[in-house]
Amino acid sequence: MPKFKIANGTAYDCPFCGLASVGILYVDILGVTLLDALTAFSDSANTRHMEYIAGGETTVYEGYTKIIGVEYAYNDSSAVRVALRRPYEGETS
């Protein structure tokens, strides 16, 4: 199972991670509640540096410190989808 790791060292099972053409990073993680995901990914210290590890390759995501939201990824509560973006030019944290 691919893993998604945030800066504090927490690693999640992650069946999907993708970057939309508009710059939104979508991450589906397993084994967490909506509140758990919101708490972890709302902390910009956790999202400044993240890694997606799949198929022996690691993709690094830097600076996705703005959370757009969390929701259930599928028609059940098996996965939580987190949506993140980088700050806009001139935007403060």
Side-chain angles (χ1 to χ4, degrees):
M1 171 68 69
K3 299 284 185 191
F4 193 84
K5 186 175 171 183
I6 59 177
N8 72 1
T10 304
Y12 301 96
D13 287 338
C14 180
F16 172 79
C17 175
L19 187 59
S21 61
V22 293
I24 298 172
L25 177 64
Y26 293 102
V27 182
D28 292 358
I29 54 177
L30 304 177
V32 297
T33 65
L34 291 173
L35 182 58
D36 292 339
L38 183 62
T39 301
F41 286 84
S42 288
D43 185 344
S44 62
N46 288 339
T47 60
R48 289 189 196 290
H49 176 89
M50 301 176 291
E51 299 175 353
Y52 179 57
I53 305 142
E57 294 185 22
T58 300
T59 304
V60 175
Y61 295 98
E62 298 278 356
Y64 287 85
T65 56
K66 299 293 183 177
I67 190 164
I68 296 170
V70 296
E71 63 186 358
Y72 290 120
Y74 313 117
N75 289 335
D76 57 29
S77 58
S78 63
V80 172
R81 176 165 292 159
V82 180
L84 300 156
R85 66 170 175 83
R86 288 184 171 143
Y88 299 129
E89 176 107 9
E91 182 177 21
T92 59
S93 11

